[in-house]
Amino acid sequence: MNLHDLMRQLQVKNDSKMVLLVADGLGGLPLHPGEKTELETARTPNLDALATSGVLGLSTPVIPGITPGSGPGHLGLFGYDPLEFNIGRGVLEALGIDFDLGPNDVAIRGNFVTVDENRNIVDRRAGRIGSDVGARLCEKLAKITIPGVEVFVRPVKEYRLVIVFRAPGLGGNVEDTDPQRTGVPALDPVGRDDASQRTAEIAREFLAKAAEVLKDDHPANYFTMRGVARLPEIPTFEEIYGLRAAAIAVYPMYRGLARLVSMDVLDAGQTLDDQCSRLEQVWNDYDFFFVHFKYTDSTGEDGDFPKKVERIEQLDAAIPRIMALKPTVLAVTGDHSTPSKMRSHSWHPVPVLVSAENCRTDACTSFGEQQCLSGGLGQFPAKYLMSQLMAYAGRLEKYGA
Amino acid sequence: MNLHDLMRQLQVKNDSKMVLLVADGLGGLPLHPGEKTELETARTPNLDALATSGVLGLSTPVIPGITPGSGPGHLGLFGYDPLEFNIGRGVLEALGIDFDLGPNDVAIRGNFVTVDENRNIVDRRAGRIGSDVGARLCEKLAKITIPGVEVFVRPVKEYRLVIVFRAPGLGGNVEDTDPQRTGVPALDPVGRDDASQRTAEIAREFLAKAAEVLKDDHPANYFTMRGVARLPEIPTFEEIYGLRAAAIAVYPMYRGLARLVSMDVLDAGQTLDDQCSRLEQVWNDYDFFFVHFKYTDSTGEDGDFPKKVERIEQLDAAIPRIMALKPTVLAVTGDHSTPSKMRSHSWHPVPVLVSAENCRTDACTSFGEQQCLSGGLGQFPAKYLMSQLMAYAGRLEKYGA
């Protein structure tokens, strides 16, 4: 029996309320050996109080050594094995701009490029055009029509765009057209199965028309296609856990990831305060709340140690408002580590804090990587967080007699 | 997606240098509860310094409770699931005498035995004949010819020998002929599939001729066959990780295990000093270096606690020479535990030390089992060591976006 079947079989309903507060990229590193991490440096009296009364641990997002993107990181937290449920790049890119992908959609990440008179690529990022230029070119491309296919073209940022083909029966198994180097033409789209050959044909037709439309738009006079993908077939969060789940996330990517598992995606406003207000408003309408805080990741990516510390303190300040709602279970964790020292996501295990009745309290008295190492939850794969939260919420029957 | 596909997909090349220093059977036990293990007893200032700046943990070679042989132990360290890649006993025995097995070879472990006039086995180890006797008898057996088959017969030690049949299409699925008791004749070789029935026929023919050749060599007047096996189909280390790998191991078994995953097996001399010299000489020619130190295991097998301590101190003394090369990643670990107290391999988790930039430093300040227990790497399956070393070497892309 696999993890999801076990959840389906054992889940029971009750009045419990569960909050999963994800501080993106929460885990960190000390700048120098022997020093403290961002989380250990931050003054977090509220989290420390929960660490004292609750239980800590460390989660491995995928397997040891693997650095996850936001997609696999969140799927793990939602209890989906990130190696089993693989989300294509095109889908993530579409989710990231709040595009509402459907089952008949094939999503493609595009990069504007510069081609010369022989159609050889001379710049794979089109001279890094501004987002305004990209947006204008996408509007032009969106006017292209392909019989029998709905076409959507959306700007992402600078030279990046998303193309979506909507038609029944299109396959998502199409090779990238980006040759990964300059001095050669873009590759022709090639489908790896019958349904995807149909997608490749549509892509070829679209690219031919696009070449014409963009011919005077040097340096962005063509584009390559990457990460062609369909929505993965993924069981819904509610079906697996029996939870009515709401996502309160500001950034499109995380709203998209929640939508991927069919959570209700609510208007979250712009700030953590807005998110807390929304949480309060809908408290009676759902069983499970995924609240996403972005800035612990973005400050880490910026390599800004003090700013990440500050953002963690801001997160800490929101804890009393959440606890005032008396959640049955509150979990505070990240989807991966983003050490300021590395300015990127990393593979390091992620701090986890669980506050609930019936925690087997450990000796930890503050929330930090070092303390988590001796926490009662130990080190565990992120995909087993949800089964534990379900247990703390009293929502799982005994397995076997 | 499995572990190897993930490595294939995510690996990138760079100029990093990785050293995997395997102290065979490194893990130990205290002689009495409350005392120290061999590793904890040893004075290891160099390893302790790395433990302070790096990160410790414990690895489980196979699964908890399983005592591995050298084959599974090393496969785990090389990142191959030892339960998925099973190396037959005959193959290991052949590797252990530096026999260069090829794809058309079936390797068989033989035991000289004593049979009576009714061909019943009366001694399953032929009175433990000396190695010189065994070697002389193997020379006689090597003269036996089988049409269409190349036959190799090599002595191992005392009553043990290796027989290799080389011919296209031979199967390795042949039952042991050792009846595991005395008073009965050896069993007839039985093949479990068509290709292995052919092997069994050859074995029968060879055994008939051998019975004649050995008839006057009491007490070693026959032999049994065990662990019939072909080389497993195993992807190469370089293909999985993109690493040019060199093995610097003195003992044949470990050279053979490295050859099994297609590492370059270098002349390693006789001592750890020789091995360090070789490492220095070829430092620019490879990305990854597997350096094997045998004597922590053999002293453990001898039940010689003080000698094992001494060998660990000898290992420690080699650390500065390795660190002088400035490896990007140095891992020091064992393939299994060999507690002197037990005089054998054991199932106990194995100490792991990783020294690299971007370690999340733990509180450990010396290299020992007790400290490893609170190390930042936690307890993990040995097959996940390589994915972590690849991460520390900066050789893995992010998984998913």
Side-chain angles (χ1 to χ4, degrees):
Chain A
M1 176 142 30
N2 71 27
L3 176 59
H4 287 177
D5 284 340
L6 198 58
M7 291 296 107
R8 288 180 183 105
Q9 182 187 314
L10 302 184
Q11 47 122 319
V12 290
K13 301 215 168 25
N14 62 21
D15 292 335
S16 65
K17 298 286 182 187
M18 306 165 71
V19 177
L20 173 63
L21 176 58
V22 176
D24 206 294
L26 177 63
L29 284 178
L31 289 179
H32 307 99
E35 293 181 3
K36 289 178 173 181
T37 66
E38 298 91 328
L39 180 56
E40 290 163 356
T41 303
R43 288 190 57 255
T44 53
N46 299 302
L47 288 166
D48 293 349
L50 295 183
T52 306
S53 61
V55 61
L56 302 186
L58 287 165
S59 79
T60 300
V62 185
I63 58 169
I66 301 303
T67 297
S70 302
H74 277 82
L75 280 190
L77 293 180
F78 298 159
Y80 298 74
D81 186 330
L83 292 178
E84 185 182 346
F85 298 96
N86 190 13
I87 314 172
R89 180 77 225 191
V91 168
L92 274 172
E93 204 80 359
L95 297 179
I97 55 167
D98 241 342
F99 188 95
D100 193 8
L101 279 181
N104 286 332
D105 292 353
V106 170
I108 303 167
R109 172 176 167 175
N111 277 10
F112 282 111
V113 299
T114 313
V115 293
D116 64 15
E117 61 278 15
N118 300 314
R119 307 214 58 76
N120 288 327
I121 296 175
V122 293
D123 186 333
R124 289 176 57 232
R125 292 181 184 84
R128 292 191 178 272
I129 49 167
S131 296
D132 52 333
V133 178
R136 187 178 51 76
L137 297 178
C138 285
E139 274 177 42
K140 287 175 69 172
L141 290 174
K143 295 191 182 126
I144 295 175
T145 56
I146 310 270
V149 183
E150 250 188 299
V151 178
F152 304 85
V153 183
R154 298 284 159 83
V156 177
K157 199 178 164 188
E158 298 169 355
Y159 59 91
R160 284 158 53 195
L161 67 156
V162 165
I163 305 106
V164 174
F165 298 138
R166 180 172 295 167
L170 295 185
N173 243 329
V174 177
E175 311 261 1
D176 290 358
T177 72
D178 183 348
Q180 297 285 344
R181 59 199 176 100
T182 55
V184 295
L187 303 171
D188 231 29
V190 175
R192 295 192 211 112
D193 53 48
D194 288 352
S196 303
Q197 278 170 21
R198 171 80 186 112
T199 310
E201 273 167 39
I202 293 166
R204 267 194 296 276
E205 190 174 340
F206 185 77
L207 283 165
K209 291 180 176 173
E212 184 59 26
V213 167
L214 297 175
K215 68 175 192 292
D216 297 326
D217 289 303
H218 189 281
N221 57 359
Y222 199 49
F223 64 89
T224 54
M225 292 179 161
R226 299 168 67 176
V228 179
R230 298 187 44 185
L231 273 184
E233 293 195 15
I234 196 162
T236 73
F237 196 81
E238 179 158 10
E239 187 256 317
I240 297 170
Y241 302 108
L243 296 169
R244 296 168 302 159
I248 305 179
V250 174
Y251 277 67
M253 171 70 86
Y254 312 96
R255 300 164 62 83
L257 287 164
R259 204 182 296 119
L260 200 66
V261 298
S262 305
M263 290 186 191
D264 276 5
V265 176
L266 309 184
D267 181 9
Q270 291 299 317
T271 68
L272 195 50
D273 257 0
D274 294 343
Q275 290 173 280
C276 287
S277 300
R278 175 65 61 205
L279 185 67
E280 288 159 0
Q281 283 161 18
V282 299
W283 189 249
N284 293 324
D285 304 334
Y286 294 94
D287 307 308
F288 181 94
F289 305 87
F290 158 51
V291 182
H292 181 267
F293 183 66
K294 173 69 180 169
Y295 304 101
T296 32
D297 177 61
S298 43
T299 49
E301 294 253 14
D302 288 345
D304 194 336
F305 192 104
K307 203 82 189 167
K308 185 171 173 186
V309 169
E310 200 178 290
R311 288 302 196 168
I312 293 168
E313 293 177 350
Q314 188 184 341
L315 182 82
D316 184 74
I319 296 296
R321 251 183 107 176
I322 297 173
M323 289 307 287
L325 292 164
K326 302 194 190 309
T328 319
V329 184
L330 168 65
V332 185
T333 188
D335 55 336
H336 52 76
S337 294
T338 304
S340 319
K341 184 186 179 190
M342 295 178 67
R343 297 173 171 266
S344 66
H345 292 198
S346 81
W347 64 91
H348 300 89
V350 184
V352 181
L353 184 165
V354 176
S355 171
E357 180 86 22
N358 296 329
C359 283
R360 183 183 284 162
T361 321
D362 49 37
C364 302
T365 54
S366 66
F367 191 32
E369 287 81 352
Q370 193 70 41
Q371 293 260 316
C372 286
L373 198 52
S374 58
L377 300 174
Q379 296 205 29
F380 61 93
K383 66 177 175 180
Y384 295 136
L385 178 62
M386 270 304 299
S387 50
Q388 295 180 81
L389 301 188
M390 289 286 286
Y392 284 110
R395 285 180 176 263
L396 292 182
E397 298 266 19
K398 186 160 63 177
Y399 171 65
Chain B
M1 173 139 34
N2 70 27
L3 175 59
H4 287 177
D5 284 340
L6 197 59
M7 292 295 109
R8 289 181 183 103
Q9 182 188 314
L10 301 183
Q11 49 123 317
V12 290
K13 301 216 169 22
N14 62 22
D15 292 333
S16 64
K17 299 285 181 185
M18 307 165 71
V19 177
L20 173 63
L21 176 58
V22 176
D24 206 294
L26 178 63
L29 285 176
L31 290 178
H32 307 96
E35 292 182 1
K36 289 179 171 179
T37 66
E38 298 91 328
L39 180 57
E40 289 163 357
T41 303
R43 289 191 56 254
T44 53
N46 299 301
L47 288 166
D48 293 349
L50 295 183
T52 305
S53 61
V55 61
L56 302 185
L58 287 165
S59 80
T60 300
V62 184
I63 57 169
I66 301 303
T67 298
S70 302
H74 277 82
L75 279 191
L77 293 180
F78 298 159
Y80 297 74
D81 187 329
L83 293 176
E84 183 182 348
F85 297 96
N86 188 15
I87 314 173
R89 182 74 225 192
V91 168
L92 274 173
E93 204 79 359
L95 296 179
I97 56 166
D98 241 343
F99 188 94
D100 193 8
L101 279 181
N104 286 331
D105 293 354
V106 170
I108 304 166
R109 172 175 167 176
N111 276 10
F112 283 112
V113 299
T114 313
V115 294
D116 64 17
E117 60 277 13
N118 301 316
R119 307 213 59 75
N120 289 326
I121 296 173
V122 293
D123 186 333
R124 288 176 58 234
R125 291 183 186 83
R128 290 192 179 269
I129 50 167
S131 296
D132 52 332
V133 179
R136 188 176 53 73
L137 297 178
C138 285
E139 272 178 45
K140 287 174 71 173
L141 290 174
K143 293 188 182 128
I144 294 174
T145 57
I146 310 271
V149 184
E150 252 187 297
V151 178
F152 304 85
V153 184
R154 296 284 160 84
V156 178
K157 202 178 162 186
E158 299 170 352
Y159 59 91
R160 284 159 53 196
L161 67 156
V162 165
I163 305 106
V164 174
F165 298 138
R166 179 172 296 167
L170 295 185
N173 244 330
V174 177
E175 312 261 0
D176 290 357
T177 73
D178 183 347
Q180 296 286 345
R181 57 196 177 104
T182 56
V184 295
L187 304 170
D188 231 28
V190 176
R192 293 192 213 111
D193 53 49
D194 288 351
S196 302
Q197 279 170 21
R198 170 81 186 114
T199 310
E201 274 166 37
I202 293 167
R204 268 195 295 276
E205 189 175 340
F206 185 79
L207 283 166
K209 291 178 176 176
E212 185 58 29
V213 166
L214 297 174
K215 68 175 191 294
D216 299 326
D217 289 302
H218 189 282
N221 57 358
Y222 199 49
F223 64 89
T224 54
M225 290 177 161
R226 299 168 66 176
V228 180
R230 298 187 45 186
L231 274 184
E233 292 196 14
I234 194 162
T236 72
F237 196 80
E238 179 159 10
E239 187 255 319
I240 297 169
Y241 301 109
L243 296 169
R244 296 168 303 160
I248 305 180
V250 173
Y251 277 67
M253 172 69 86
Y254 312 97
R255 300 164 61 82
L257 286 164
R259 205 182 294 118
L260 200 66
V261 298
S262 305
M263 290 187 193
D264 276 5
V265 176
L266 309 183
D267 180 9
Q270 291 299 316
T271 66
L272 195 50
D273 257 359
D274 294 344
Q275 290 173 281
C276 287
S277 300
R278 176 64 62 204
L279 184 67
E280 288 159 0
Q281 283 161 18
V282 299
W283 188 247
N284 293 322
D285 303 335
Y286 295 93
D287 308 308
F288 180 95
F289 305 87
F290 158 50
V291 181
H292 181 268
F293 183 67
K294 173 66 179 169
Y295 305 102
T296 32
D297 177 61
S298 42
T299 49
E301 295 253 15
D302 290 344
D304 194 337
F305 192 103
K307 203 81 187 171
K308 185 171 174 188
V309 168
E310 201 179 289
R311 289 301 199 168
I312 292 168
E313 293 178 351
Q314 188 183 341
L315 181 82
D316 184 73
I319 297 296
R321 256 185 102 175
I322 298 173
M323 289 308 288
L325 292 165
K326 302 194 190 308
T328 318
V329 184
L330 169 64
V332 185
T333 187
D335 56 335
H336 54 75
S337 294
T338 305
S340 319
K341 184 184 179 189
M342 294 177 67
R343 297 174 170 265
S344 67
H345 293 199
S346 82
W347 62 91
H348 301 88
V350 184
V352 181
L353 183 166
V354 175
S355 170
E357 180 85 22
N358 295 330
C359 285
R360 184 184 281 163
T361 323
D362 49 38
C364 302
T365 54
S366 65
F367 190 33
E369 286 81 351
Q370 192 69 41
Q371 293 259 317
C372 286
L373 200 49
S374 59
L377 299 175
Q379 296 204 28
F380 60 94
K383 67 176 175 180
Y384 294 139
L385 177 63
M386 272 303 300
S387 51
Q388 295 179 81
L389 301 187
M390 289 286 285
Y392 284 109
R395 284 180 177 264
L396 291 181
E397 299 265 19
K398 189 161 63 173
Y399 171 64

